[in-house]
Amino acid sequence: MAQALAVHDLTSEWSFKQTDDTADNAWLPVAHVPTNVHLDLIAHGKIPDPFLGFNELKAEWVADKSWTYKTKLPDSPTPQEGTVTFLAFDGLDTFATVKLNGETILTSDNMFIPHRIDVTNKLKPGPNNVLEIDFASARLRAIELKEAHSEHTWVGFNGDMARLAVRKAQYHWGWDWGPVLNTCGPWRSVRLETYQSRISDLRIDYELDANLKAASGTITTKVEGQSGKTVAFVAHIEDSVVFKGSADVDSDGVAKVEFRVNDPQLWYPHGYGAQPLYTVTATVSTGEVDLHSASRRTGFRKGELIQQPDEIGKTFFFRINGVDVFCGGSDWIPADSFTPRVTAEKYRKWLEMMVDGYQVMIRIWGGGIWEEDVFYDLCDELGVLVWQDFMFGCGNYPAWPELLESIRLECIANVARLRHHPAIVIYAGNNEDYQVQEQFNLTYKYEDKDPENWLKTDFPARYIYEKILPEVVTQESPHVAYHPGSPWGDGLITSNTTVGDMHQWNVWHGTQEKYQIFDTLGGRFNSEFGMEAFPHIETIKYYCTDPTQLYPQSHMLDFHNKADGHERRIATYLVENFRTQTDLEAFIHLTQLSQAEALMFGYRGWRRQWGQKRFCGGALVWQLNDCWPVTSWSIVDYFLRKKPAYYAMRRVLAPVAVAVKRAHHDWSVVHARVPKTSDYELWVASSQPGELTATVEMRFISVATGKEIKESIIKKDIAIVANGTTDVLSGTIDNVNEEPHVLAARIWIDDQVVSRDVDWPQPLKYLSFEDRGVEVYHRGDNISIKAARPTKGLVFEERTGVLVADSAIDVVPGDEQVVKVRGLGPSDQPLRWTYLGRT
């Protein structure tokens, strides 16, 4: 009798122990699988929470032990003829030996490869089948592999270079924003599946015609099992069926149909159009009985990476359905050191926060993980473009044959898993590995196109990035662009500003340039740049278990900042720009304003360059998020508390954003002399598809008195160009005869103020911010803010459960601002707030 696929998710009734612990009470219950050993040890009080205080150090020993997990499988009936039973492991972290009833059925050494094992003839009838998984120490195994391959040049940035030998999340060895917590365990789902036939792969390949009015292509399934004879295909969007078809399963287990959809609803990134998603379902049957169904949710879109020669070098930007898209967004690291506890709800909060912040692209960084399915599903649903790194980061990776084969299988499995997601628009071969090649003078002769030669050099990983990975993408996901690395550009030095993408770290790292000139340091696509800032005080108080350590330079606070040289770098940018503070909350505010200002100067200028012949195609801040409570470059901390920089970015990435800027004058190299004059410019950036008509105002307001020092400028009925930049006015400030003043710009569209910008004399430390006359009123769901004198960086408390629409606000006289607030009840205390110079 035909039998449909039956699945038992093995989520409960597991136990674990240290492998060599022979005590009678060694086995401890596991709350849930997926899991890892640190989560289970924390649950049983065997290690303290590593995120608190110095507890990371108390958890180090875990990484050097072997750990064993076991469970009893559900009752196993005598199998019917033609029925098979498989154990499926979506992810084992990392050196795993899997035993069934004491017999080894699998050994695995790659965290990112899923496995399926036929256990049909290995199961005993009844309830007494025991599944056991031993996890060896990845840290120690990595060291063994490194020592066994002394022919390789083991160099890179961050962590123990032995990590390069192991296909495991590289940040587990610690990074300059994360702890050393080297995990193991069944980190993804484990299932027992019984079936006669199943669909093992469902693939949709399509092309849009030249005018985007029809989508045509093929839907292909791979079928396991002899009982599956035919496959029925159906595609629908909401309640509307757009395609039906069927095909017989051929002798290779393949069933394929061609399809055509006229007038498809096209998928766009948010802000540029809708995100319609089609569900494609394939059902394999005997011809009479359905045996298994598989579905993929996808979207039709034409995605292009535009790299065309121009007068500067070569463009680097994305075009979706014929529309050029400026990719303002963020880089993403794993949301936790222990990823099994990151819920779908938390992923949604992170990605909805990006959309609310007008961020269009997220880059999944190569030192973390191939993300969970729900992450990509949400990006599809919300319209967030995905830049996907392959999982290589900051190192000279080895390339012995067995490792290359493991990498190839890993990448095939994951690209095939992800290929239906319309959000994914680029795969990049690695993170900063070409920079490692440059810094350590490894051999890279771009003109040598013989891959076998590359393997003989001291930079053999070129074979991975320029042969294996592009072949995988071409085979599994040909509709997505491939880029050999991030940063990379035509084999040139990675700091080249004329081609490819770049990581601009000469603010913070490197030459530590003034952040006011961030925009002049960028390239064609700035896929990393950033500035550190402390998290909010509530986050610090969470991890700082000793109240006497609540001061800016304390041991415990320094322990929760992993960046090399962070003391001098934070100090440099604070001393250059602000009057220093030693009170912790005031110090936090200054670091946050420093970050907000830096990112504003970068994004604002690069978005302007987008309108100047697409000189800059996008900018992705390092980084959106944290994996634990820490001081880092994140713009939102581990608990999803937004730093002021989030709001500063939101304002300059808004659909229409006015900008005003006076010319930079480097006070540090001219003995703090003020220039006699300063030129200024005012422009408007728009991502809107059509031309807009606007009114723009600029006022000149004394910092000291709040009075206008000269007549304001108003420009009416200005035509704002679509998807570009409109220069509105320019002029000159007389620094000799005019007192220090701000340039305050506003723009109205349809009688509504849609954007503001305030340019300040730099550095801010030279200005007095006493007696600003700030008034803040809570009125229902609104907060009203006004000031008698120009006020810098008014920041609201980030209270759990309360969302404010704007923060880190500059306020000028005569322009009351109203900020929407959600989640604040009538009996709740008003949000606390502060601003630069508040005493």
Side-chain angles (χ1 to χ4, degrees):
M1 185 175 178
Q3 179 179 340
L5 181 142
V7 178
H8 293 278
D9 287 303
L10 303 178
T11 59
S12 60
E13 298 185 19
W14 288 78
S15 56
F16 84 110
K17 73 179 183 77
Q18 189 173 314
T19 303
D20 59 3
D21 189 342
T22 58
D24 292 339
N25 60 350
W27 289 102
L28 299 171
V30 172
H32 185 267
V33 168
T35 187
N36 68 38
V37 70
H38 288 78
L39 291 175
D40 296 323
L41 290 169
I42 293 167
H44 288 280
K46 299 299 183 181
I47 57 171
D49 185 344
F51 288 4
L52 302 181
F54 299 110
N55 288 349
E56 175 194 345
L57 302 174
K58 297 178 181 178
E60 279 188 342
W61 64 272
V62 175
D64 288 352
K65 303 298 182 183
S66 176
W67 299 90
T68 300
Y69 282 74
K70 76 173 179 180
T71 188
K72 280 190 175 182
L73 299 182
D75 280 8
S76 176
T78 302
Q80 299 179 27
E81 187 175 346
T83 300
V84 293
T85 300
F86 274 70
L87 276 167
F89 305 91
D90 286 351
L92 298 172
D93 176 14
T94 291
F95 289 93
T97 301
V98 182
K99 301 172 187 175
L100 179 61
N101 299 327
E103 177 189 351
T104 298
I105 60 170
L106 170 69
T107 56
S108 176
D109 60 3
N110 187 323
M111 173 179 179
F112 302 120
I113 293 180
H115 297 279
R116 299 181 59 82
I117 306 299
D118 186 346
V119 294
T120 309
N121 299 320
K122 300 180 184 300
L123 293 170
K124 299 182 293 187
N128 297 316
N129 290 287
V130 177
L131 176 65
E132 198 167 290
I133 312 173
D134 293 332
F135 292 95
S137 165
R139 194 189 82 85
L140 297 181
R141 190 69 64 85
I143 293 169
E144 292 172 7
L145 287 166
K146 178 173 178 283
E147 290 175 348
H149 290 273
S150 58
E151 77 283 358
H152 183 66
T153 304
W154 298 89
V155 292
F157 321 135
N158 286 299
D160 181 350
M161 287 306 106
R163 67 178 172 82
L164 304 175
V166 177
R167 298 309 301 150
K168 175 176 170 63
Q170 300 288 270
Y171 81 110
H172 289 166
W173 275 265
W175 221 261
D176 54 7
W177 37 258
V180 180
L181 292 168
N182 217 318
T183 60
C184 73
W187 77 292
R188 282 188 168 152
S189 296
V190 181
R191 298 180 305 282
L192 189 69
E193 299 180 355
T194 301
Y195 57 90
Q196 291 185 349
S197 188
R198 70 180 281 270
I199 294 170
S200 61
D201 191 25
L202 171 57
R203 174 171 179 164
I204 304 110
D205 291 291
Y206 71 90
E207 287 189 356
L208 291 165
D209 64 9
N211 59 10
L212 308 180
K213 294 297 185 182
S216 57
T218 58
I219 309 173
T220 307
T221 58
K222 293 181 181 177
V223 177
E224 296 176 2
Q226 299 301 311
S227 300
K229 303 301 184 185
T230 64
V231 177
F233 300 89
V234 62
H236 69 272
I237 183 165
E238 296 176 345
D239 295 327
S240 177
V241 174
V242 298
F243 172 79
K244 275 188 172 183
S246 65
D248 292 336
V249 179
D250 68 16
S251 58
D252 295 323
V254 174
K256 179 188 297 188
V257 291
E258 295 185 355
F259 75 94
R260 179 181 175 90
V261 176
N262 293 320
D263 297 315
Q265 299 181 43
L266 299 181
W267 185 95
Y268 287 88
H270 73 90
Y272 292 83
Q275 293 78 48
L277 295 169
Y278 292 78
T279 300
V280 178
T281 301
T283 302
V284 62
S285 71
T286 63
E288 297 174 350
V289 177
D290 291 344
L291 301 174
H292 180 221
S293 290
S295 294
R296 299 286 185 273
R297 193 176 66 164
T298 193
F300 294 123
R301 60 107 181 108
K302 183 178 182 180
E304 301 172 88
L305 172 58
I306 306 300
Q307 297 187 85
Q308 295 177 339
D310 61 10
E311 64 265 37
I312 300 164
K314 188 186 286 186
T315 62
F316 193 106
F317 67 90
F318 293 89
R319 181 176 290 159
I320 309 297
N321 302 327
V323 178
D324 297 354
V325 176
F326 177 78
C327 290
S330 293
D331 296 304
W332 172 264
I333 65 171
D336 205 304
S337 291
F338 310 130
T339 55
R341 69 178 173 189
V342 183
T343 62
E345 178 187 21
K346 181 164 280 190
Y347 276 124
R348 178 174 288 277
K349 286 181 178 178
W350 276 114
L351 290 165
E352 285 181 342
M353 189 182 296
M354 285 194 68
V355 174
D356 290 343
Y358 303 120
Q359 297 186 43
V360 172
M361 176 176 274
I362 193 160
R363 171 175 167 251
I364 300 176
W365 169 73
I369 62 170
W370 292 94
E371 270 297 349
E372 302 292 336
D373 290 336
V374 66
F375 184 99
Y376 304 97
D377 289 341
L378 287 165
C379 289
D380 292 344
E381 174 189 325
L382 297 171
V384 177
L385 297 176
V386 174
W387 172 311
Q388 175 72 59
D389 282 359
F390 284 88
M391 292 299 112
F392 304 90
C394 296
N396 180 32
Y397 282 82
W400 57 77
E402 297 83 1
L403 183 59
L404 290 180
E405 179 61 12
S406 180
I407 288 167
R408 190 182 68 84
L409 294 174
E410 166 197 329
C411 296
I412 289 172
N414 284 283
V415 175
R417 172 173 70 98
L418 302 179
R419 62 181 167 227
H420 62 283
H421 291 287
I424 299 175
V425 292
I426 183 172
Y427 285 102
N430 64 79
N431 172 79
E432 295 186 356
D433 292 359
Y434 286 98
Q435 287 187 316
V436 170
Q437 173 267 315
E438 290 170 4
Q439 183 161 324
F440 293 94
N441 297 309
L442 305 176
T443 303
Y444 183 47
K445 295 179 179 178
Y446 182 59
E447 63 278 6
D448 181 357
K449 302 300 182 182
D450 183 350
E452 295 304 316
N453 288 343
W454 309 340
L455 290 171
K456 300 170 187 174
T457 71
D458 56 3
F459 182 50
R462 181 184 180 186
Y463 189 90
I464 302 170
Y465 314 138
E466 297 184 36
K467 180 170 172 60
I468 293 177
L469 302 187
E471 288 177 352
V472 169
V473 173
T474 298
Q475 171 188 319
E476 299 294 337
S477 191
H479 60 290
V480 176
Y482 178 76
H483 187 57
S486 182
W488 189 86
D490 289 359
L492 301 173
I493 189 169
T494 55
S495 57
N496 188 300
T497 59
T498 68
V499 63
D501 72 315
M502 75 178 302
H503 294 184
Q504 181 45 272
W505 281 108
N506 278 330
V507 172
W508 180 266
H509 288 302
T511 53
Q512 295 184 0
E513 304 292 336
K514 298 284 198 301
Y515 60 60
Q516 288 84 352
I517 65 165
F518 227 150
D519 61 322
T520 70
L521 305 174
R524 308 316 300 264
F525 194 104
N526 305 308
S527 45
E528 276 192 25
F529 67 103
M531 174 65 71
E532 273 208 350
F534 273 54
H536 288 284
I537 186 65
E538 290 80 9
T539 296
I540 292 173
K541 286 181 176 178
Y542 171 86
Y543 74 71
C544 186
T545 54
D546 179 355
T548 69
Q549 292 284 300
L550 287 170
Y551 61 93
Q553 297 163 289
S554 77
H555 188 187
M556 193 170 286
L557 268 60
D558 270 358
F559 188 75
H560 283 253
N561 186 338
K562 301 300 188 180
D564 179 40
H566 63 86
E567 301 96 337
R568 65 185 64 183
R569 289 180 169 88
I570 288 177
T572 293
Y573 285 101
L574 294 192
V575 169
E576 282 183 344
N577 290 284
F578 305 99
R579 300 187 189 188
T580 55
Q581 300 276 353
T582 55
D583 171 75
L584 178 57
E585 292 202 48
F587 186 85
I588 290 168
H589 184 236
L590 290 186
T591 71
Q592 292 180 344
L593 280 188
S594 173
Q595 183 189 47
E597 290 283 283
L599 302 190
M600 179 278 293
F601 275 108
Y603 275 106
R604 187 178 66 179
W606 292 327
R607 192 174 178 197
R608 186 185 193 190
Q609 293 166 14
W610 168 254
Q612 297 166 336
K613 300 183 180 180
R614 305 294 188 249
F615 176 77
C616 177
L620 308 177
V621 70
W622 186 268
Q623 64 217 60
L624 178 67
N625 62 320
D626 284 323
C627 68
W628 75 315
V630 65
T631 295
S632 77
W633 298 272
S634 71
I635 59 170
V636 184
D637 75 22
Y638 175 76
F639 296 107
L640 288 95
R641 294 184 176 114
K642 304 180 187 83
K643 298 178 187 177
Y646 169 88
Y647 300 98
M649 283 173 52
R650 184 178 189 271
R651 288 191 291 271
V652 294
L653 291 175
V656 176
V658 68
V660 60
K661 180 186 179 184
R662 72 191 76 197
H664 175 67
H665 180 75
D666 194 337
W667 61 92
S668 297
V669 297
V670 294
H671 306 287
R673 296 188 181 200
V674 177
K676 292 181 179 180
T677 61
S678 299
D679 294 334
Y680 67 82
E681 298 174 283
L682 186 151
W683 67 92
V684 178
S686 172
S687 62
Q688 297 302 285
E691 185 178 280
L692 303 170
T693 301
T695 296
V696 174
E697 170 198 74
M698 190 167 76
R699 300 163 64 207
F700 307 85
I701 305 171
S702 165
V703 174
T705 68
K707 299 186 181 305
E708 296 190 39
I709 67 165
K710 54 186 175 184
E711 189 174 345
S712 62
I713 300 172
I714 299 178
K715 299 276 191 178
K716 295 185 176 181
D717 297 324
I718 295 172
I720 305 300
V721 301
N723 199 6
T725 304
T726 304
D727 292 331
V728 176
L729 61 90
S730 60
T732 302
I733 298 168
D734 181 348
N735 292 317
V736 176
N737 297 305
E738 296 173 357
E739 61 184 292
H741 59 278
V742 300
L743 310 177
R746 288 188 288 181
I747 180 171
W748 287 260
I749 295 175
D750 296 332
D751 299 322
Q752 296 289 321
V753 176
V754 296
S755 175
R756 297 174 171 87
D757 194 28
V758 180
D759 179 83
W760 294 78
Q762 299 287 336
L764 296 171
K765 66 184 178 182
Y766 292 166
L767 305 176
S768 173
F769 288 97
E770 295 176 359
D771 190 22
R772 296 291 92 188
V774 175
E775 299 177 53
V776 177
Y777 301 100
H778 286 70
R779 296 189 177 98
D781 293 335
N782 294 326
I783 302 175
S784 298
I785 310 120
K786 55 185 179 179
R789 282 159 288 283
T791 300
K792 181 69 188 172
L794 190 147
V795 173
F796 291 106
E797 167 194 2
E798 292 287 327
R799 187 181 299 173
T800 301
V802 177
L803 293 174
V804 292
D806 205 1
S807 189
I809 302 164
D810 292 351
V811 189
V812 297
D815 183 19
E816 180 176 339
Q817 297 190 45
V818 178
V819 173
K820 295 285 185 184
V821 60
R822 286 187 289 154
L824 197 63
S827 60
D828 293 338
Q829 286 293 315
L831 295 177
R832 294 181 293 115
W833 48 272
T834 191
Y835 57 82
L836 184 60
R838 188 184 190 194
T839 55

